[in-house]
Amino acid sequence: MDPKFSLPKATRRIIVAARTSPEKRASGITLFAVESVTSGFSWGRKPDKVGQDQSDTAKLFSDNVRVMDAEVLGEVESGFIHMMQQLPQERLSAASSNVAHAKQILLETIEYANPKGIRISHRISPAQQVSARPSHHPDRSC
């Protein structure tokens, strides 16, 4: 099965959500913390991607991976509930990180498009794409 995600190849443990009782649908999912070197896991090639070329990511494939009782996270067949309980915190963490990155990119863009032209040999701010005033942001003054 072709995975829809990639992970850093340095990843040592993977949280696997597995259907341990398929007839129970969402109630039949169990979480496992599995070592990435477990028999049945194999790494694919580094994917072609835009940005973050330096990150060491690759697709992780699984084929007949066997897990042990000691690798169960939380309670058996409560994996879906565990994931839903953590989802708000994960979304908040991702949103916070994304806002911080967007703020930094905005500040760097404003500095680059500075009409004083201090950092570059010619001014780019008169160009139509950057001459319009960026929307108001409380952390800067234009």
Side-chain angles (χ1 to χ4, degrees):
M1 183 171 136
D2 190 20
K4 303 293 184 221
F5 58 89
S6 60
L7 298 166
K9 288 181 102 173
T11 301
R12 298 200 51 202
R13 279 194 184 260
I14 301 152
I15 297 177
V16 175
R19 289 189 185 276
T20 51
S21 296
E23 69 281 358
K24 293 183 178 179
R25 301 174 49 101
S27 299
I29 295 174
T30 303
L31 298 179
F32 298 90
V34 184
E35 295 282 336
S36 62
V37 294
T38 300
S39 178
F41 281 131
S42 61
W43 292 99
R45 67 174 183 82
K46 181 178 177 179
D48 296 327
K49 56 186 173 177
V50 177
Q52 297 184 343
D53 289 337
Q54 73 282 4
S55 67
D56 181 27
T57 58
K59 288 185 176 185
L60 179 65
F61 295 88
S62 61
D63 184 30
N64 293 320
V65 175
R66 300 280 181 196
V67 295
M68 301 184 330
D69 290 341
E71 296 172 317
V72 172
L73 283 177
E75 298 175 24
V76 174
E77 297 180 352
S78 295
F80 185 78
I81 293 168
H82 294 315
M83 289 187 289
M84 291 296 101
Q85 289 172 337
Q86 295 303 315
L87 190 59
Q89 292 89 342
E90 291 176 19
R91 286 183 173 165
L92 183 60
S93 175
S96 175
S97 176
N98 292 340
V99 167
H101 285 119
K103 178 181 177 182
Q104 184 61 35
I105 290 167
L106 175 63
L107 293 173
E108 289 176 19
T109 301
I110 290 169
E111 182 181 344
Y112 181 77
N114 183 351
K116 296 175 187 167
I118 295 169
R119 292 189 52 208
I120 54 178
S121 60
H122 64 284
R123 296 187 325 168
I124 65 162
S125 58
Q128 181 180 0
Q129 292 84 353
V130 294
S131 63
R133 184 179 177 98
S135 62
H136 174 70
H137 187 280
D139 289 347
R140 65 169 178 81
S141 58
C142 268

